[in-house]
Amino acid sequence: MAEGLSIRATGRLLDVDKDTVNHWLPVLGPHCQHVMHYFFRNLHLHECQLDELLDELWTCISKKGPN
């Protein structure tokens, strides 16, 4: 689902029912949050890749049109 798949598509991919996917979402969400807080703490970055961020910003700007 982190890749933008729907609940039904995630169920098909994992070969489980959509209700099973819905059951595990509240269980896995906090776990993923703890993992991210553990691994992404006190990072000292010297470089950052901005291509995806810039693509998202450009999409947002282009949707607004000439305004």
Side-chain angles (χ1 to χ4, degrees):
M1 294 189 69
E3 295 291 329
L5 291 176
S6 68
I7 290 174
R8 288 180 189 269
T10 302
R12 284 192 300 270
L13 183 68
L14 298 173
D15 197 28
V16 297
D17 188 62
K18 65 178 177 55
D19 294 333
T20 304
V21 176
N22 279 327
H23 166 76
W24 281 102
L25 282 176
V27 175
L28 296 176
H31 177 70
C32 290
Q33 185 177 17
H34 290 297
V35 169
M36 285 184 60
H37 283 297
Y38 178 80
F39 284 110
F40 293 102
R41 181 161 295 185
N42 299 324
L43 295 177
H44 302 286
L45 302 175
H46 300 285
E47 295 181 14
C48 182
Q49 187 173 352
L50 296 176
D51 58 344
E52 290 185 27
L53 175 65
L54 293 175
D55 287 341
E56 289 180 23
L57 286 172
W58 179 248
T59 300
C60 178
I61 291 169
S62 66
K63 285 184 179 178
K64 292 187 178 185
N67 296 337

